[in-house]
Amino acid sequence: MKTICSILFILFALLPIEKNVPIAKLDLKKYAGTWYSLYSIPTIFDKGSRETTTNYTLNQNGYYNVVTTYKKPGDEKVYSRTSKMFPSENGSKGALQVQFIWPIKVDYWIIELAADYSYVVVGHPDHRFLFIMSRNPEMPKKTHDEIVARCKAKGYDVAKLTSQLH
């Protein structure tokens, strides 16, 4: 029995685990525009929000002006907040930082991005939050399920994912 347990332990240790790293290449102009936040492990700013839409506008200074609109539970009023998002130093990688309150910046890692920029998965180095966003207000279930499986393999607690659709 001890031998079987040892073999199983070694086999599980050798299973490939995807790394939680930002993407290597990002086109800042293509990323700009409107994204619908469909599912999330929310930050303190996003807890309970629904029907969340974020618009990223790349400005002349090389960072994004960000406007997020959302509804609160049981309330049909649309709220908004502004922030800034700063690209990595060379501007072409998925390691960005968002600033909700000056001077504090929070890591915003693009860990997955569709080749056609139709969906994006945003995470954090410490797995603190996760956002699955799309250019459309809906996503095919198969695509969602595949993304969730990859996020789980990267170490995210996908059981904490909540829908921001309704």
Side-chain angles (χ1 to χ4, degrees):
M1 184 67 172
K2 206 176 202 183
T3 306
I4 292 172
C5 287
S6 297
I7 291 171
L8 287 174
F9 178 77
I10 292 169
L11 287 175
F12 282 117
L14 295 175
L15 287 175
I17 295 176
E18 291 187 45
K19 290 185 179 179
N20 181 43
V21 296
I23 61 172
K25 192 172 183 181
L26 174 66
D27 183 324
L28 295 175
K29 289 180 182 176
K30 277 183 162 179
Y31 193 78
T34 301
W35 290 95
Y36 295 89
S37 185
L38 305 179
Y39 300 91
S40 71
I41 299 173
T43 69
I44 192 168
F45 297 104
D46 306 296
K47 268 201 187 328
S49 64
R50 61 186 176 86
E51 297 179 42
T52 304
T53 304
T54 305
N55 189 282
Y56 299 88
T57 304
L58 189 59
N59 66 34
Q60 295 175 355
N61 297 321
Y63 64 86
Y64 293 100
N65 293 314
V66 182
V67 177
T68 303
T69 59
Y70 58 98
K71 292 180 182 177
K72 295 180 181 180
D75 188 351
E76 290 304 310
K77 180 180 173 187
V78 177
Y79 296 86
S80 69
R81 70 174 167 269
T82 60
S83 57
K84 296 177 182 176
M85 190 165 72
F86 300 89
S88 59
E89 288 186 23
N90 68 9
S92 65
K93 294 184 180 178
L96 299 104
Q97 290 190 313
V98 67
Q99 185 177 67
F100 296 104
I101 302 167
W102 185 86
I104 301 167
K105 292 181 183 175
V106 177
D107 288 317
Y108 175 109
W109 279 10
I110 298 174
I111 60 172
E112 186 174 327
L113 180 63
D116 63 357
Y117 285 62
S118 61
Y119 74 82
V120 65
V121 182
V122 175
H124 185 270
D126 296 330
H127 303 89
R128 289 185 187 162
F129 60 80
L130 183 70
F131 291 92
I132 299 172
M133 301 188 297
S134 173
R135 294 292 188 178
N136 298 303
E138 295 180 358
M139 173 182 283
K141 182 173 178 8
K142 181 180 181 206
T143 304
H144 168 266
D145 292 347
E146 291 168 349
I147 291 169
V148 170
R150 289 189 296 270
C151 290
K152 184 175 182 176
K154 291 177 183 176
Y156 287 91
D157 184 357
V158 296
K160 292 181 178 178
L161 275 172
T162 61
S163 172
Q164 291 189 309
L165 299 175
H166 307 287

